[in-house]
Amino acid sequence: MDRSVADGHCAVGELLTEQASMTAESDNQPFARLSLRANFSWTFVGNVVYAACQWGMLMALAKLGSPEMVGVFALGLAITAPVFMLSNLHLRTIQATDARQQYQFRDYLGVRLATTTLALLAIAGIVLAIGYPWQTSLTIFAVGCAKACESISDIFYGLLQRLERMDRIAWGMILKGAMSLFALATGVYLSGSVLWGVVGMAGAWATVLAVYDIPQGLSAVRGASIVHPSAAPRQRMAVARNLAWMALPLGVGIMLVSLSTAIPRYFVERMLGAESLGIFAAIASIQVAGTTVIGALAAAANPRLAQHYADGNVRAFRALLRNLVAIAVALGGIGVLIAWLIGGWILTMIYRPEYGAYNHIFVLVMIAASVGYIGWFVGDAMTAVRRLRAQAFLFLAMTVATIGACAWLIPSFGLTGAALATMVTSVIHAVGGLLMVEHALHALPSAQEDDREQTSWRRSISQVRPGVKR
């Protein structure tokens, strides 16, 4: 990390410290945490509204434009998402599950500002290197600018999540979703171009960051009495480097997960064209209805999972994870059933008749999504048990398998092959993650004690079975 950049981040941290210090004396009330049920409810509401608005943007593009416009927008998301997943280093989850508070908020913020800047430069380089048409290139970069605003908001949300105040995050998501939907639809309607719609979306996200997310973050610093002790710039640089280095394997892993999701879209765009990509992306976006529920529950449960692991409470950890996986299975099954029964009608109603002819793709996508819901919970559990480096190897295997599946299936089966390739990715993620989590839990002393207790209990039961002669 460049020293001048790090000094700038230190200055931001000192500003937060000064503002917190000036109001700490007058603010004697603790920053009250909400219950798990309240946090889930708020997160669910925020995610539902935000996801509906995200879905609404694709619907607006499909209704006001063409499948090709949807494809260009999807291409922008597919290119920028892996870059920002890497640059984000999954710091929000690390911050939210930092039960022992090993790092300060300004450390997380400083690293995020530096990596976001690098991400924007990387996206500009990628766009120039590939050589897309100028309007497509500008659209992709505009999506990157929107993602940069989202990335900075995310680190403030991580603080609020650690403090278990998901209500404040929910309001930020509601504002962001509503404003971005209005801005994108208005831009496309007035200009007939996806570029100006995305520019409007980026402006909406920047506005929410400035007028809501940052003030809420500062309020959390004050309300929770988070006052950072002063430290020399060299010390702050060292802490930032340690945090970034610790989180890098997880950032690489999450980037590979995002890349695994994006790889089928790269193949579809290159082999079948932007119009086919638009159809595939529109169908795949419907699974957001399930990820809304999964994401809300995961965000609310993450701090509890981390606390159970920190306390060595293996039974509570496993019980909570089992309940989460059961919810994922039930929700995924409902999605597959709906897609099988009335999928064609749904696609025709929310998009256009040409989308309704791909109901079989819809069913396959929802099967892959149901397995992906399990993988979502398992991935957060891997973070809670701090298997950060091991995740990178799992995600690398997912990426390699996805590339191989796409290269084999898409040329032969078209969009059906793309849907099958996403299924391969989801299965590897869920199964591999569960094995890693179980390995981490067995390594805890409490897990070993539980195993001994269960063995002793089984032995005692076998000794007193009725009808067994001794």
Side-chain angles (χ1 to χ4, degrees), residues 140-363:
I140 294 171
F141 188 74
V143 173
C145 292
K147 286 285 187 180
C149 297
E150 182 183 47
S151 178
I152 298 172
S153 296
D154 184 68
I155 210 66
F156 287 99
Y157 291 169
L159 172 64
L160 293 169
Q161 185 177 348
R162 183 176 68 80
L163 298 174
E164 299 187 45
R165 290 303 303 261
M166 308 302 292
D167 55 330
R168 304 195 178 194
I169 299 176
W171 280 114
M173 296 179 68
I174 292 171
L175 286 172
K176 188 191 306 181
M179 291 179 62
S180 60
L181 172 59
F182 176 79
L184 183 136
T186 302
V188 173
Y189 177 77
L190 294 177
S191 67
S193 170
V194 65
L195 171 60
W196 291 108
V198 174
V199 169
M201 180 188 74
W205 288 8
T207 301
V208 173
L209 170 64
V211 303
Y212 182 83
D213 294 337
I214 292 177
Q216 286 298 315
L218 294 175
S219 175
V221 171
R222 295 192 298 264
S225 301
I226 301 175
V227 181
H228 301 313
S230 59
R234 289 180 179 272
Q235 293 176 320
R236 295 263 57 85
M237 286 176 60
V239 171
R241 283 197 300 268
N242 290 338
L243 174 59
W245 183 250
M246 184 270 292
L248 181 60
L250 185 56
V252 172
I254 298 301
M255 181 270 291
L256 292 172
V257 171
S258 179
L259 193 60
S260 298
T261 302
I263 285 171
R265 305 189 181 200
Y266 300 154
F267 275 87
V268 169
E269 192 271 336
R270 285 296 175 181
M271 295 182 175
L272 306 178
E275 182 175 348
S276 294
L277 173 58
I279 292 173
F280 181 75
I283 294 174
S285 70
I286 299 178
Q287 64 180 292
V288 76
T291 58
T292 299
V293 180
I294 298 299
L297 187 55
N302 279 348
R304 299 295 174 92
L305 279 174
Q307 193 61 57
H308 289 327
Y309 182 74
D311 295 340
N313 193 342
V314 176
R315 289 182 177 178
F317 187 101
R318 283 177 172 155
L320 179 55
L321 183 57
R322 279 196 301 268
N323 291 335
L324 295 174
V325 170
I327 292 173
V329 172
L331 187 62
I334 293 172
V336 173
L337 183 62
I338 291 174
W340 181 53
L341 293 176
I342 57 173
W345 177 79
I346 291 175
L347 294 175
T348 300
M349 181 185 67
I350 63 177
Y351 297 127
R352 285 184 174 180
E354 56 262 39
Y355 292 86
Y358 293 89
N359 184 42
H360 62 292
I361 304 297
F362 189 16
V363 174

Side-chain angles (χ1 to χ4, degrees), residues 1 41 56 80 142 145 258 270 314 354 370 373 378 385 438 458:
M1 184 183 303
S41 300
T80 59
C145 292
S258 179
R270 285 296 175 181
V314 176
E354 56 262 39
S370 64
Y373 299 155
V378 171
V385 300
E438 279 301 311
R458 293 190 185 108

